[in-house]
Amino acid sequence: MYGKKVKLRIIFLSIIFLILLLTVFFVLKSLEENVVYFKSPTDVKEITEISEKKIRVGGMVKKGSVVLSSDKINFIITDFKNEINVVYSGAVPNLFAEEKGVVAEGILRDRNFLKAKKILAKHDENYMPPEVKKALEEK
Amino acid sequence: MFGLIDNSKIFSITSKAPKYVFFVFVIVLSIGLLEALVLSPEDYIQSHSVRIMYVHVPSAWISIGIFFLIGILSIGSVIFKNKIFSIIAKSLAPSGLVFNIIALVTGSIWGKPTWGTWWAWDSRITSMLILCLFYILYILSWRIIDDKNKLNKITSLIGILGLINIPIIKFSVDWWSTLHQPSSVRLLEKTTIHSSMLVPLALMTAAFALFSLLIFLMKYNTELIKIKNKGLDRL
């Protein structure tokens, strides 16, 4: 139905598209370290060298681990395989709670201890009215 | 095949349709806003800031959807060498950019009380910013390039290049760890938004889609007038 030129243009575009896709794929793959917003406690355990560089660690706030004192807050971030202790002085976001997602940004003291400069609360994909949440909990 | 479409027929549609579309848009938007701001319940954890989601998510969907269309139309324009695809894509772009900016701004406003930050360089937010840059590049290139033959090629190329970014936006939250939450509304899996919150979300999406259609029809109408005035009877 279409001429030879149209077919040639389709092939030309497909090749360009494929090259672009592969380029983007490999660029993103090699930049994976930087594309991820935070590391999990398991990733932190695998770090070979502890530097003074700022890192972000994310996971769940472990149940019963939040300890508030006058000028700082201690808690544990867990990914249900490994854990990391976090200390932070300052105000935490409203959504910060036990068994909720959190991202802590700061400097690693050792593989089990992070001195946080900033705490971000992570929101999950669940949206529901309070009554529904209550009903779910009672189940 | 596409040259056969009668321009005067299309023109009679694009010149009359906007007022009807506007009428429906106002109705859907009013019901949508009433649902989103008054009738829908607050969230169990973020309380009233969930209402930002009813503007944020539809704008993001529409802006991504429109750029996807621009990309597909650009491919059509290059393959069939038919300018009508480019003219349609050009007319779609402004509302896409507007919704992209709305999505970024409302996301930022939502992020401060929930996450504790206005901005995070995570892959979802960054790829949405890149989409915004593609929109700006696309719209600007229509304005600054004078050479008629190059104009079509360059704008189409920008549309096609930007198309690569679309799956990256969509799957960024699944491929990498991000601060942004994963999708709540999925085609194949169970939706994690309660049905009482889905109603305003659907209504607002419909309203924004109608708004985009309205702007598109008006822009397209203008393009047709421009072509007419130049004394060209076909594209």
Side-chain angles (χ1 to χ4, degrees):
Chain A
M1 181 178 175
Y2 298 113
K4 213 175 170 189
K5 278 205 160 167
V6 170
K7 269 183 200 151
L8 269 176
R9 278 188 226 121
I10 293 173
I11 295 167
F12 175 72
L13 262 193
S14 318
I15 293 170
I16 288 193
F17 212 74
L18 221 86
I19 293 170
L20 273 171
L21 261 181
L22 281 172
T23 317
V24 171
F25 176 78
F26 283 114
V27 166
L28 285 175
K29 200 80 193 152
S30 57
L31 286 175
E32 187 132 39
E33 266 302 87
N34 301 303
V35 178
V36 294
Y37 192 69
F38 57 83
K39 289 177 178 357
S40 70
T42 308
D43 296 332
V44 172
K45 287 282 182 299
E46 285 159 7
I47 292 176
T48 45
E49 219 175 298
I50 291 166
S51 66
E52 280 287 292
K53 259 171 77 182
K54 200 173 72 176
I55 73 157
R56 294 192 201 98
V57 183
M60 285 280 172
V61 180
K62 197 183 176 188
K63 197 179 181 185
S65 73
V66 177
V67 181
L68 276 163
S69 41
S70 61
D71 60 339
K72 63 181 195 291
I73 175 171
N74 283 284
F75 61 94
I76 295 170
I77 294 179
T78 175
D79 59 359
F80 306 110
K81 279 186 226 121
N82 285 291
E83 293 174 351
I84 186 163
N85 291 287
V86 179
V87 63
Y88 173 70
S89 40
V92 290
N94 292 335
L95 258 67
F96 177 85
E98 287 178 3
E99 291 186 293
K100 289 279 170 211
V102 71
V103 176
E105 184 182 291
I107 291 153
L108 221 51
R109 288 276 167 265
D110 59 53
R111 281 181 193 82
N112 297 310
F113 193 75
L114 180 89
K115 195 173 182 328
K117 293 254 169 71
K118 201 162 141 194
I119 299 286
L120 302 173
K122 213 169 134 38
H123 185 265
D124 62 17
E125 69 272 33
N126 296 303
Y127 297 81
M128 57 189 130
E131 311 86 64
V132 177
K133 176 74 182 165
K134 228 175 157 188
L136 276 179
E137 275 169 355
E138 277 163 11
K139 256 185 204 168
Chain B
M1 145 184 182
F2 303 100
L4 296 172
I5 304 164
D6 190 0
N7 263 338
S8 58
K9 246 180 212 162
I10 297 177
F11 185 73
S12 72
I13 296 171
T14 54
S15 56
K16 280 179 201 139
K19 55 177 181 240
Y20 300 110
V21 176
F22 181 73
F23 183 68
V24 183
F25 161 70
V26 170
I27 293 173
V28 177
L29 183 74
S30 328
I31 305 169
L33 281 177
L34 185 71
E35 271 285 343
L37 299 177
V38 185
L39 299 176
S40 69
E42 55 182 291
D43 185 65
Y44 77 105
I45 181 159
Q46 13 165 355
S47 73
H48 287 295
S49 52
V50 71
R51 302 188 195 286
I52 298 170
M53 189 253 302
Y54 303 131
V55 176
H56 174 75
V57 174
S59 339
W61 280 343
I62 302 276
S63 64
I64 295 166
I66 287 181
F67 205 93
F68 182 72
L69 280 178
I70 291 175
I72 300 295
L73 287 162
S74 299
I75 291 175
S77 172
V78 171
I79 289 178
F80 299 112
K81 290 255 181 208
N82 195 324
K83 281 188 183 134
I84 193 128
F85 291 108
S86 295
I87 302 289
I88 296 172
K90 182 192 178 185
S91 314
L92 278 167
S95 61
L97 175 66
V98 167
F99 282 124
N100 193 331
I101 292 169
I102 292 176
L104 285 172
V105 170
T106 51
S108 188
I109 295 168
W110 181 86
K112 189 61 188 169
T114 16
W115 294 337
T117 183
W118 296 103
W119 188 265
W121 290 103
D122 85 343
S123 49
R124 169 58 71 83
I125 304 168
T126 311
S127 55
M128 272 307 270
L129 186 68
I130 292 170
L131 181 71
C132 191
L133 294 177
F134 264 110
Y135 266 122
I136 294 169
L137 201 64
Y138 184 80
I139 292 168
L140 275 184
S141 65
W142 273 107
R143 296 194 165 225
I144 56 174
I145 300 165
D146 292 325
D147 191 326
K148 279 277 173 312
N149 294 320
K150 276 189 190 158
L151 180 62
N152 226 20
K153 280 181 191 152
I154 294 174
T155 51
S156 299
L157 194 70
I158 295 169
I160 295 168
L161 285 179
L163 201 55
I164 310 255
N165 191 32
I166 302 295
I168 296 178
I169 300 174
K170 172 77 183 87
F171 297 110
S172 54
V173 286
D174 304 321
W175 291 341
W176 304 292
S177 59
T178 53
L179 188 59
H180 195 285
Q181 57 268 40
S183 313
S184 302
V185 181
R186 284 161 181 266
L187 286 178
L188 300 173
E189 282 160 64
K190 206 168 165 278
T191 301
T192 54
I193 298 181
H194 190 258
S195 52
S196 60
M197 295 169 165
L198 270 178
V199 177
L201 189 62
L203 282 169
M204 290 302 278
T205 309
F208 287 4
L210 281 165
F211 182 78
S212 288
L213 180 67
L214 177 71
I215 299 297
F216 164 72
L217 286 171
M218 289 161 82
K219 284 290 289 179
Y220 194 61
N221 197 42
T222 314
E223 294 298 330
L224 289 181
I225 291 171
K226 271 189 202 164
I227 291 163
K228 242 187 190 173
N229 288 353
K230 275 176 199 153
L232 303 166
D233 50 0
R234 59 194 172 88
L235 291 164

